[in-house]
Every structure is written in C-alpha cells, then in structure tokens.
C-alpha cells in the first residue's frame, strides 16, 4: 500500500519522462508481440492453407512454384500440361477429386483462373465449400461468364451483371486487353483463402481466349488433386517425380510451404533479434530515465528513510516504479500490436488472400508483457541500488 | 525512568584532507519520559549531528545511546529504522515534506513505516493543527507556517515517545514561530511524547523551563566541524 503510494506519486512527479519511457516500452513490446504473432500465424496459416487439396500436378518444375501458383495464385505457372494428363489423373483410382486450372490472364491485376464448376463444390476446409452470394450463380461452361472472389469483387468494384474485358498475362498491361467480354454472374462469399482474390471463369474460356495459342487450347496449367488415402501420395510421387521426367507432382502441399518458411528462417531470426534489441533499448531507457532523476529524488529518499523507511523499502519502490512504467507501456503495447497486426493482415490479405486474425489468442500476448515487465524491473535495479545507498544525513541537508 | 540515556557519545568526521574532526563528545545526557527540554546551540555546535545520532540516522564512533531501554548501538540498521518509525518523531528546520505527496499523505507516511497508516488519526491531527481544509493540498500550495504545521502533525502521527526538533522555527516569522512552537509543545504533551528541541533563538528557548546549552554539553574539539 505504502510502496504503491510512493510509486504513484513518483510517477506523477516524473510524469513526462515516465510517459515517454512507457511509450518506448509500448513500441518495443508491440513490435515484439507483432513479429512473434505474425511469424507464428503466417507459418500456421500458409502451411495449413491447402485449399482442401492434397497435391498439385503441373509441368516439370519446382514444387514450390507449382503450389504457389495453383493454391495461392501467386507466381507464374511453370508451364502447361496436356489435358490428357488431367484425364489420367482424374481417372486414377487413388484420386478422389482432380480439378484442372488454367491461368495466364488478369483483370486490372487480379488473376483470372479457368476451372470447372465442381471446383466450387469441393470443400476448401472441413465442412466449408464455396458459396455464391444471394442474387448470383456459378458460371456455366461454354459461356463467357465469371464468378468473382469476394476480395477481388470489392477491390474491382464489380457486381453481378457487370461486364469486363480481361487483359493478357498475369500482370496488368493496359495495352494487352482481350476482345472477349465476360459478364459477372456471381460473387463468392468470403472464404478467407487465396480464392477470394481470383476472378473465376470457365476452363474453356481461358483456354480459348482471343490471342491465345490455338495449339495450346487444350492444355491446362495445373491439376488440383485430392487423394483417397495418404499412401496414394507416395505412389503418385514415385510415378510422376521419380519414374517420369515430364511432370511434377507437388505433395504434400504443407511441406512445400514449410520448406519456403525454412528458407526464410534467417530473415525470421533477424526480425526477432531486432525486436529483442528494440526491447532491450527500451529497457535501457527505463533505467536511464530513472537513474537520471536520482539526484532530484535524493532528498525525498532521505526523508522517507528519516521517517523510518528501510533501505529495502526504497529499493523496492524504485524497482516497482520501473516495473510499473513497463506495465503501463505494455498495456499500450496491445494497442500497437493490434494496429501492426491489422496492417500486416491487410497487406497479407491483399497480396495472398490469406487472412491473419489480430484477435487470435497467442502465448506471446502473455509472456511478452511478463518478460517486458521483468526486464523493466531488472532495469530498475541499478537506480534502486543508488536509492539503497542513499546517505540519509547528507540527503536531508538542503542543497544550496 | 529515563527515556533517553546517552553516555560517552563521540562522533567524528573525516575532512576532505583526510584529517578527523570530532564533532560530538557528550559524556552524559538523559531525558525523562514526557519531558520537554530545549538545547541552545548556535550554528556549528553539532546540534544536527547530535539529533541524527539520537535518531539512529548516524551511528556514533563510541558511547551508548539508550532509547526506551534499547541500546541503539546493539541494533541493526533495520532495527534502528524500525525504532525511528515507531518511537521517534523528527521535525526539521526546512520541514522536509515530500513535495509530491498531499498534506494528508505526508502525515500518513509518518505512520506507514511504523504502526501503519491510520487515516482517521492523520485527519484528526491535521484538524488539530488547523489544516482540515488543506488535506489534499500539496506542500507547495501552503505557506511556510502551514508547512511546518504539517511537519508537526507528521512527527506526532505514529505516537512517538520522543520528538526531536531541529531549529523548528528557524524558517518562520515571529508570529508563525510562536504558533508552531506552541503546537509542538502542546502536541507532545497531548501525545505523551518527550521533546528535545534545539534552537539558537532566545525567544524560543525562553519558553522552556528546562534549558541546556549544547556548547557546554558538547566537549568536542571541533563541534559542528565537517559536513
């Protein structure tokens, strides 16, 4: 009670420096929690984001590129494969579902993906299949119709009944517009998957788009595969990757993404190190702030000691004050954390369609504040030692 | 029975040039319970050092100080802190109020390290010294006379057996000095506390029946010497 009164009054007496220091702690703590949470959530989300598929079949190339292209709708396709390869995969008894994809065009930077309508009836998460918003429907094969992912529709400002002409290539080039005009017939409900960023059209539509090579009209860019049993993945891996040399079978999908994160592990470590360094600098600021005020506190400490306060009491008061500054800072750190995560989430969603949840519980939200408060208290030890050593008789002497 | 008993008390300080300067040498001094004594002492007679020694803020080089039957030299620093927090009230010339704390909090702190904060007693004491309307003011918002009254209330808050007053009227004008002195004496009497007051002001000293000259009491070679 007395300790807390001393701490509160001291904080009020040194309000400006305490506030500045608390803000530093808040920035450091917010950054630390954000780096940790974004890293963990991104890893969990990307490695867990398979769209409900077990594997991807594509032209010979890197598995990661194949996964990024077919699942995350990022990167260019490593090449095309004949439609017959899709038919072969679809008729394989080990395969439950196989859906072909064709890419190569965009509308104002949003990727057009040609596919079959049964893509939308395949669950992208257990118990969750794509649904069209009321007032819309799925496209019909053979028609120039499009169904838009929710994010793409919002960003493009398109609604059911609108018409648009796609552009050639995966990147927007105003000079490369196709003559074909598509009509929006449906908008998908948000799925928080990369599919939200896609403009979906019939497979044949993309294959036969004006200006495309008629010789490749029957080709597809990739085939999404759902297996009947996990063991089937090994058989197909053997078939396509080891015995064949024409196609690539990317399986399992999560492993490809985990490998990607592993490749950037060093970057991850650097970010974490920077966050910890910022935390240490902020902790140093707590120490400097209190330490620099010790000469102005000398008299107060001497008075407290003259009133009977023990050395350990004034020591504890300084440590508690430092910890309180850190605790105050960490309350503000939650706001900064939410702001950073909301920003990062918006960017990641815009770039990949994957959604991070700033409110998702994370252990870092518990241990980081505790660690920062402990560091803050630790930072208070040096000035607390000075307080402990305060000479009462000297401190009571008025300074001239 | 003597509340305070001092025998062969010596205290010397080391000067910056390394030489030792004896500041206090008092062969014998006693103070009975509920007694009020004024020690006359001009600047440099070692009066602050003497009071600091009694309060346990300084430790003597030799000699004994026994307060309420407890030999202070046998006590640890923490025990001396505890003794100061429970048995001794200290009134300073410069008041030594904590500027960041309200009037009420200053008085509550006077009890906190001893018997524990008692808000009703703190309020009653502040009413007694005429500051009931100033409980939540800060010391800087008070006049010097009012600040010294807060210091008096704080010194009496934990029901000490001994109040030490070091030039308590030194910073006050005549009217405030008279009022403060009366409060100190009445407060000590009402709370059954003995009072040891040092002052160089003849106007203050003349109000005490029991007076001693610190210059005569202190046989140090260089009283008050080194700070």
């Amino acid at each position: 009670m007395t300790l807390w009164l001393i701490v509160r009054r001291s904080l009020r007496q040194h309000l400006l420096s305490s506030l500045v220091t608390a803000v530093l702690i808040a920035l450091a703590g917010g950054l630390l929690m954000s780096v940790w949470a974004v890293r963990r959530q991104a890893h969990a989300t990307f490695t867990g984001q398979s769209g409900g598929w077990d594997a991807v079949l594509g032209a010979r190339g890197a598995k990661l590129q194949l996964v990024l292209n077919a699942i995350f709708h990022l990167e260019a396709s490593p090449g095309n494969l004949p439609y017959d390869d899709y038919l072969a995969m679809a008729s394989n008894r080990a395969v439950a579902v196989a859906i072909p994809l064709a890419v190569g065009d965009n509308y104002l930077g949003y990727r057009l993906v040609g596919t079959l309508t049964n893509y939308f009836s395949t669950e992208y998460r257990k118990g969750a299949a794509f649904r069209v918003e009321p007032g819309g429907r799925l496209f019909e094969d053979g028609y120039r119709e499009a169904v838009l992912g929710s994010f793409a529709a919002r960003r493009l400002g398109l609604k059911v009944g609108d018409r648009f002409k796609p552009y050639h290539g995966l990147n927007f080039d105003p000079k490369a517009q196709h003559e074909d005009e598509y009509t929006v017939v449906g908008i998908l409900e948000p799925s928080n998957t990369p599919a939200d960023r896609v403009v979906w059209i019939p497979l044949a539509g993309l294959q036969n788009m004006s200006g495309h090579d008629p010789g490749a009209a029957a080709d597809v860019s990739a085939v999404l595969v759902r297996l009947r049993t996990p063991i089937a993945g090994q058989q197909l891996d053997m078939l396509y990757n080891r015995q064949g040399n024409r196609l690539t079978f990317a399986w399992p999908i999560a492993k490809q993404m985990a490998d990607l994160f592993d490749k950037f592990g060093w970057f991850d470590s650097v970010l974490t190190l920077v966050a910890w360094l910022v935390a240490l600098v902020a902790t140093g600021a707590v120490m400097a702030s209190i330490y620099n005020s010790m000469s102005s506190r000398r008299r107060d400490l001497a008075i407290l000691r003259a009133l009977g306060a023990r050395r350990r009491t004034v020591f504890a008061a300084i440590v508690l004050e430092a910890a309180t500054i850190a605790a105050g800072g960490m309350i503000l750190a939650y706001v900064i954390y939410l702001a950073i995560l909301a920003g990062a989430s918006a960017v990641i969603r815009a770039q990949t369609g994957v959604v991070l949840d700033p409110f998702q519980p994370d252990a870092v939200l518990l241990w980081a504040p505790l660690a920062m408060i402990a560091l803050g208290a630790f930072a208070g030890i040096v000035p607390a030692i000075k307080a402990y050593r305060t000479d009462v008789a000297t401190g009571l002497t008025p300074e001239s | 029975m003597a509340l305070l008993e001092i025998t062969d008390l010596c205290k010397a300080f080391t000067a910056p040039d390394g030489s030792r300067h004896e500041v206090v040498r008092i062969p014998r001094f006693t103070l009975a319970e509920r007694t009020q004594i004024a020690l006359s002492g001009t600047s440099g007679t070692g009066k602050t050092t003497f009071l600091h020694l009694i309060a346990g803020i300084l430790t003597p080089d030799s000699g004994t100080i026994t307060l309420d039957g407890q030999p202070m030299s046998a006590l640890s620093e923490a025990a001396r802190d505890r003794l100061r927090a429970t048995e001794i009230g200290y009134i300073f010339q410069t008041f030594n109020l904590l500027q960041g704390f309200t009037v009420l909090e200053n008085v509550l702190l006077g009890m906190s390290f001893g018997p524990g904060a008692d808000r009703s007693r703190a309020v009653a004491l502040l009413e007694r010294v005429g500051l009931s309307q100033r409980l939540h003011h800060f010391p800087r918002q008070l006049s010097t006379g009012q600040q010294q009254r807060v210091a008096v209330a704080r010194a009496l808050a934990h029901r000490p057996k001994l109040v030490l007053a070091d030039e308590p009227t030194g910073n006050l004008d005549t009217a405030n000095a008279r009022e403060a002195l009366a409060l100190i004496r009445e407060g000590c009497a009402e709370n059954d506390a003995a009072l040891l007051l040092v002052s160089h002001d003849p106007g203050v000293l003349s109000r005490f029946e029991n007076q001693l000259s610190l210059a005569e009491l202190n046989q140090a070679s260089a009283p008050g010497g080194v700070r």
Side-chain angles (χ1 to χ4, degrees):
Chain A
M1 174 66 185
T2 305
L3 261 185
W4 185 232
L5 174 67
I6 294 170
V7 169
R8 276 192 296 137
R9 291 296 176 251
S10 181
L11 287 173
R12 191 170 64 184
Q13 272 185 290
H14 307 97
L15 187 62
L16 184 62
S17 64
S18 299
L19 278 178
V20 170
T21 315
V23 168
L24 275 175
I25 288 282
L27 289 171
L31 185 65
L32 184 66
M33 292 192 293
S34 304
V35 165
W36 223 276
V38 167
R39 185 183 66 169
R40 200 196 59 73
Q41 274 200 43
H43 189 277
T45 310
F46 278 91
T47 55
Q49 184 69 254
S50 66
W53 304 102
D54 296 315
V56 181
L57 180 69
R60 198 68 171 176
K63 292 178 181 175
L64 177 61
Q65 187 184 3
L66 200 54
V67 169
L68 288 174
N69 178 60
I71 302 292
F72 290 92
H73 306 294
L74 301 166
E75 282 278 355
S77 164
N80 290 341
L81 62 159
Y83 195 74
D84 286 347
D85 286 318
Y86 155 64
L87 292 176
M89 179 63 84
S91 61
N92 192 314
R93 280 192 292 178
V95 173
V97 185
I99 304 284
L101 298 180
V103 298
D105 291 320
N106 78 92
Y107 179 62
L108 301 179
Y110 284 84
R111 186 175 290 213
L112 262 69
V113 177
T115 190
L116 306 176
T117 48
N118 53 349
Y119 170 85
F120 301 103
S121 58
T122 309
E123 289 184 351
Y124 58 85
R125 240 188 331 260
K126 194 168 175 58
F130 293 103
R131 293 197 311 184
V132 179
E133 287 182 356
R137 60 173 174 80
L138 292 177
F139 55 69
E140 286 188 29
D141 291 334
Y143 289 82
R144 286 180 179 151
E145 293 179 340
V147 170
L148 273 63
S150 58
F151 188 82
R154 193 168 71 245
R155 285 301 180 91
L156 291 169
L158 291 175
K159 56 187 183 304
V160 173
D162 288 347
R163 294 164 181 270
F164 67 92
K165 289 182 178 177
Y167 294 83
H168 185 64
L170 293 176
N171 298 312
F172 174 55
D173 175 2
K175 294 179 203 156
Q177 193 164 30
H178 289 293
E179 290 302 316
D180 313 55
E181 190 174 65
Y182 279 78
T183 303
V184 178
V185 296
I187 311 286
L188 295 177
E189 289 183 355
S191 66
N192 292 338
T193 69
D196 291 349
R197 295 172 57 252
V198 172
V199 177
W200 300 94
I201 64 170
L203 182 68
L206 207 129
Q207 289 171 322
N208 299 309
M209 194 79 74
S210 61
H212 282 187
D213 177 10
D219 289 355
V220 297
S221 304
V223 179
L224 301 171
V225 179
R226 181 176 289 176
L227 302 168
R228 289 191 193 282
T229 58
I231 195 84
Q234 289 176 354
Q235 294 165 357
L236 292 170
D237 181 48
M238 181 69 76
L239 177 68
Y240 287 106
N241 296 333
R242 300 189 189 181
Q243 294 171 357
N245 58 5
R246 194 170 55 82
L247 300 174
T248 294
F249 184 71
W251 172 86
I253 289 171
K255 183 180 181 304
Q256 315 310 319
M257 294 309 295
D259 288 348
L260 174 66
F261 274 89
D262 287 347
K263 282 175 189 164
F264 287 99
W266 62 271
F267 181 69
D268 215 34
S269 304
V270 169
L271 262 185
T272 308
L273 183 66
V274 168
W276 273 116
L277 282 176
V278 172
L280 282 178
V281 168
T283 308
V286 174
M287 184 176 77
S289 164
I290 298 179
Y291 193 87
N292 288 339
S293 67
M294 287 310 288
S295 55
S296 67
R297 296 166 188 250
R298 189 188 68 135
R299 191 170 172 80
D300 281 3
L301 291 169
I303 294 169
L304 287 171
R305 294 274 287 111
L307 292 176
R310 295 184 188 180
R311 286 186 191 275
R312 70 182 185 202
T313 304
V314 294
F315 179 93
I318 298 292
V319 171
L320 184 60
E321 182 178 334
T324 304
I325 290 173
M330 287 313 293
I331 291 171
L332 186 59
Y334 282 117
V335 178
I336 291 171
Y337 162 81
L338 286 175
I340 293 177
L341 231 71
S345 177
V347 170
I348 290 172
R349 185 176 189 193
Q351 296 299 320
T352 68
V354 171
V355 176
L356 304 186
D357 179 10
F359 295 98
Q360 189 179 95
D362 195 309
V364 74
L365 300 177
L366 186 65
W367 68 254
L370 292 176
M372 288 300 291
I373 291 168
L375 274 176
F378 184 73
I381 287 178
V382 172
I385 289 172
K386 199 169 183 184
Y388 185 90
R389 290 178 175 165
T390 296
D391 183 80
V392 184
T394 309
L396 289 174
T397 307
E399 288 174 353
S400 54
Chain B
M1 179 188 165
L3 173 70
L4 176 67
E5 199 164 349
I6 290 171
T7 311
D8 296 328
L9 183 68
C10 282
K11 181 67 181 176
F13 291 103
T14 304
D17 64 4
S19 59
R20 294 283 288 172
H21 290 255
E22 191 176 57
V23 177
V24 169
R25 174 181 288 278
I26 296 177
R28 182 161 179 80
F29 177 80
T30 59
L31 181 66
E33 287 178 346
R34 293 185 286 278
T35 311
Q36 298 191 354
I37 286 186
L39 283 178
S40 61
T42 54
S43 181
T45 49
K47 57 182 185 294
T48 299
T49 303
F50 180 48
L51 295 185
H52 279 359
L53 286 165
I54 295 171
I57 290 172
L58 291 174
T59 50
D61 297 332
S62 62
T64 59
I65 301 171
T66 305
L67 180 65
D68 199 21
Q70 298 184 71
M72 294 186 66
S73 55
L75 300 176
S76 66
E77 185 185 56
R80 289 202 307 276
D81 292 337
R82 177 77 188 162
L83 191 70
R84 192 161 59 246
T86 53
E87 305 276 332
I88 298 173
Y90 208 142
I91 302 170
F92 303 90
Q93 178 178 350
T94 50
F95 322 136
N96 279 339
L97 298 178
L98 291 156
Q99 297 299 315
F101 294 72
T102 64
V103 164
L104 180 61
E105 288 166 349
N106 263 282
V107 178
L108 285 170
L109 274 175
M111 312 173 187
S112 296
F113 305 112
D118 179 347
R119 188 185 166 89
S120 59
R121 174 162 171 80
V123 171
L125 276 168
L126 285 166
E127 279 175 4
R128 172 67 183 87
V129 299
L131 292 173
S132 57
Q133 303 301 312
R134 299 281 189 273
L135 299 184
H136 303 294
H137 284 60
F138 287 91
R140 63 177 177 280
Q141 297 170 308
L142 304 180
S143 68
T144 51
Q146 288 172 324
Q147 288 185 47
Q148 189 59 304
R149 281 191 265 161
V150 177
V152 171
R154 184 180 67 182
L156 294 167
H158 54 291
R159 302 181 193 278
K161 289 188 174 168
L162 171 64
V163 172
L164 304 172
D166 186 0
E167 294 280 11
T169 59
N171 277 12
L172 304 178
D173 58 38
T174 310
N176 273 315
R178 192 165 45 240
E179 198 178 330
L181 182 62
L183 264 179
I184 292 169
R185 298 198 67 182
E186 287 164 17
C188 287
E190 289 164 10
N191 288 277
D192 294 329
L195 172 65
L196 178 57
L197 177 146
V198 293
S199 175
H200 69 279
D201 183 352
V204 170
L205 296 168
S206 65
R207 295 179 179 275
F208 282 81
E209 301 78 28
N210 300 320
Q211 283 185 45
L212 283 172
S213 165
L214 189 60
E216 290 173 15
L217 195 66
N218 189 2
Q219 298 173 3
S221 55
V226 185
R227 287 208 147 183

